[in-house]
């Protein structure tokens, strides 16, 4: 009940309205003992938070049925992931298929969710500079190996100190995507990270969290001044 998951391309029921879909999901996922009026109030609160209240009577729609816009559909998908009021929310490429302006709006919304006291982990490819600037912490993957895990604002400086020069013709997010995919740096970045003090510090922290009985996994998201928001490139 403490974890929510937002799919990249969920199969939504096209002929239900946004409100009907969320009430249906709530009936399946929230406690059966919950009063119906309380359930409806929670769905209304969630729709208001995600900017959907004014569109509650519009059908979701699909390939053959006109309905919500792409950004509104994505907000409904996020609402489904939050229907149980989770402490941790995972999102699989929430900006996929959206134009840059809509993607920025969605990620600003996600940032707001994180600032409410939730840990939000998101996998995202080729973010805009604005989206990239919203992330607190960053997980970089290159060839399936961890290449960086730390404060997002320090990623470029970390790799520059490691001898991988930044290209000023790129934004920070574009440059990171570029070098993570280059054949000549594919394994090198992971090697640089694995031998760094940052990697050793992360390993010690994880070991400390897992060595307690029961594991103090809650510390992962309550020990930070603000809830960490992760981004990963694959």
């Amino acid at each position: 009940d403490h974890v929510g998951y937002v799919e990249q391309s969920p199969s939504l029921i096209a002929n239900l309205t946004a409100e009907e879909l969320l009430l249906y999901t709530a009936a399946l996922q929230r406690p059966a003992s919950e009063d119906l009026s309380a359930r409806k109030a929670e769905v209304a609160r969630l729709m208001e938070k995600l900017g959907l209240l004014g569109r509650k009577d519009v059908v979701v729609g699909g390939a053959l049925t006109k309905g919500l816009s792409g950004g509104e559909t994505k907000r409904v998908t996020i609402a489904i992931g939050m229907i149980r009021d989770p402490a941790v929310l995972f999102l699989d490429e929430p900006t996929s298929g959206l134009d840059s302006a809509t993607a920025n709006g969605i990620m600003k919304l996600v940032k707001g969710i994180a600032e409410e006291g939730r840990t939000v982990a998101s996998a995202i490819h080729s973010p805009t500079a604005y989206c990239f600037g919203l992330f607190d912490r960053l997980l970089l993957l290159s060839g399936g190996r961890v290449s960086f895990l730390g404060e997002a604002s320090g990623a470029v400086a970390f790799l520059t100190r490691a001898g991988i020069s930044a290209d000023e013709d790129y934004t920070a997010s574009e440059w990171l995507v570029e070098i993570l995919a280059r054949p000549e740096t594919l394994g090198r970045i992971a090697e640089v990270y694995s031998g760094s003090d940052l990697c050793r510090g992360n390993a010690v922290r994880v070991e400390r969290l897992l060595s307690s009985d029961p594991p103090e996994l809650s510390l992962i998201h309550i020990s930070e001044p603000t809830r960490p928001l992760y981004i990963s490139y694959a």
Side-chain angles (χ1 to χ4, degrees):
D1 291 344
H2 298 295
V3 177
Y5 176 63
V6 178
E7 297 180 62
Q8 178 183 355
S9 302
S11 298
L12 304 179
I13 304 174
N15 62 342
L16 292 184
T17 67
E19 183 180 41
E20 289 170 342
L21 181 61
L22 292 177
L23 286 172
Y24 173 71
T25 304
L28 293 175
Q29 296 192 17
R30 293 182 68 85
S33 59
E34 184 178 45
D35 182 75
L36 180 58
S37 60
R39 183 179 299 162
K40 288 183 176 180
E42 178 61 24
V43 167
R45 184 193 65 80
L46 187 56
M47 294 187 75
E48 182 176 16
K49 177 187 296 185
L50 299 180
L52 290 167
L53 206 53
R55 304 285 283 170
K56 66 177 185 177
D57 296 323
V58 179
V59 296
V60 173
L64 302 177
T65 307
K66 185 177 180 179
L68 298 174
S69 68
E72 290 166 346
T73 301
K74 187 65 69 173
R75 289 169 185 258
V76 169
T77 305
I78 294 173
I80 290 174
M82 294 180 62
I83 206 74
R84 293 182 296 177
D85 195 26
V88 181
L89 184 66
F90 291 96
L91 300 100
D92 182 12
E93 298 188 43
T95 61
S96 179
L98 302 178
D99 62 76
S100 59
T102 304
N104 288 345
I106 290 296
M107 292 314 297
K108 184 177 180 179
L109 174 68
V110 171
K111 175 72 171 183
I113 293 171
E115 290 176 340
E116 290 176 350
R118 291 180 176 83
T119 294
V120 179
S122 175
I124 185 171
H125 290 261
S126 303
T128 64
Y130 177 80
C131 284
F132 183 78
L134 293 174
F135 288 97
D136 298 318
R137 293 175 62 82
L138 179 68
L139 168 65
L140 295 177
L141 300 176
S142 178
R145 300 175 62 189
V146 176
S147 297
F148 179 83
L149 175 57
E151 295 297 322
S153 59
V156 173
F158 173 83
L159 294 176
T160 301
R161 288 195 302 270
I164 303 172
S165 299
D167 190 332
E168 295 183 357
D169 292 332
Y170 290 88
T171 64
S173 57
E174 290 172 338
W175 178 70
L176 290 172
V177 171
E178 173 73 17
I179 64 166
L180 288 172
R182 287 179 185 171
E184 63 269 26
T185 56
L186 195 58
R188 180 183 166 197
I189 301 174
E191 292 297 331
V192 167
Y193 172 75
S194 65
S196 68
D197 290 338
L198 179 61
C199 178
R200 286 186 285 272
N202 285 333
V204 169
R205 184 166 184 241
V206 170
E207 182 62 30
R208 177 174 62 83
L209 292 171
L210 295 178
S211 63
S212 59
D213 187 21
E216 296 179 44
L217 296 181
S218 60
L219 290 177
I220 292 175
H221 67 270
I222 67 172
S223 62
E224 304 291 344
T226 58
R227 298 306 189 265
L229 188 63
Y230 294 93
I231 175 175
S232 64
Y233 300 91

